[in-house]
């Protein structure tokens, strides 16, 4: 199942609708990226905000802020012309009840401290260097190709994985996946009897865990898939 698709049209995000005969909650997934067109983010905010509830990400840690700040340098490149993903709208601007489903700051930093120091330093240095490379030499086509993602790891991902990456994966992906799945499960288990619509607005990488939980354990199935254009190539 495609989550992010790279083609001659540009980068597209799959808006996925899941239903289950065992639940009155219809779930819509919005796989997100850190850089995109302003119109894409506006469309997601409007669509997801019209649901009954919305699960959102965000770790309030200076560690994450230092790493993601590099995206601002790509945003400033006129040749690319994209914007950084805006913050989640304030509750008063959304019909949906906004539910923070990410790790608390202290919990994230506990996992982060388990990453070897040299790897943390490499990530701190590597993120801005990558951003500068994209700013000077990147293009929308290159970004789209790098961001393409399916719900299952690709052959390149599997062959490229190394044991030394495990601690970084645990801090940045796995631990946050577990938190997201837990919060989603709590919502589903305590939902009222009447039909409900739940939006999950999260980084595309984390949607793999959501799909696995919904299909493998919760008996949901994808009943509809629609493309949302993140950005065209030109």
């Amino acid at each position: 199942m495609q989550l992010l698709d790279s083609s001659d049209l540009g980068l597209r995000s799959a808006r996925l609708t899941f239903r289950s005969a065992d639940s009155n909650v219809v779930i819509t997934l919005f796989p997100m990226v850190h850089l995109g067109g302003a119109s894409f983010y506006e469309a997601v905010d409007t669509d997801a905000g019209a649901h009954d509830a919305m699960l959102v990400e965000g770790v309030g840690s200076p560690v994450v802020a230092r790493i993601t700040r590099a995206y601002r340098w790509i945003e400033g490149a006129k040749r690319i012309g994209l914007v950084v993903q805006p913050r989640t709208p304030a509750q008063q601007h959304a019909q949906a009840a906004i539910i923070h489903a990410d790790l608390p700051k202290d919990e994230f930093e506990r996992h982060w401290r388990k990453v070897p120091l040299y790897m943390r330093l490499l990530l701190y240095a590597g993120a801005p260097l990558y951003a500068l490379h994209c700013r000077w030499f990147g293009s929308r086509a290159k970004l789209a190709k790098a961001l393409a993602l399916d719900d299952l790891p690709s052959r390149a991902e599997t062959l490229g994985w190394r044991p030394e990456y495990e601690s970084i994966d645990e801090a940045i992906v796995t631990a946050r996946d577990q938190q997201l799945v837990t919060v989603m499960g709590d919502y589903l288990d305590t939902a009222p009897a009447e039909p409900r619509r739940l939006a999950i607005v999260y980084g595309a990488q984390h949607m793999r865990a959501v799909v696995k939980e919904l299909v493998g354990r919760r008996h949901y199935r994808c009943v509809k898939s629609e493309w949302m254009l993140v950005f065209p190539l030109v």
Side-chain angles (χ1 to χ4, degrees), residues 3 9 20 23 30 36 55-56 62 83 85 102 112 123 144 151 154 171 182 186 188-189 211 214 218 231-232:
L3 299 173
L9 296 173
S20 171
S23 175
F30 295 88
L55 303 189
V56 300
V83 300
Q85 180 181 355
D102 217 327
W112 183 248
L123 194 56
D151 65 317
S154 66
T182 297
D186 290 343
L188 295 177
D189 292 339
V211 172
L214 290 177
R218 296 273 176 177
F231 58 79

Side-chain angles (χ1 to χ4, degrees), residues 11 26 34 47 49 52 77 80 83 96 106-107 121 124 126 142 150 171 182 185 188 199 206 211 217 220-222:
L11 182 68
V26 177
H34 288 295
D47 191 343
D52 295 296
I80 295 179
V83 300
D106 292 345
E107 181 70 9
L121 294 175
Y124 287 147
K142 290 179 180 178
D150 292 345
T182 297
L188 295 177
H206 301 285
V211 172
R217 183 170 176 269
Y220 272 80
R221 61 189 181 92
C222 184

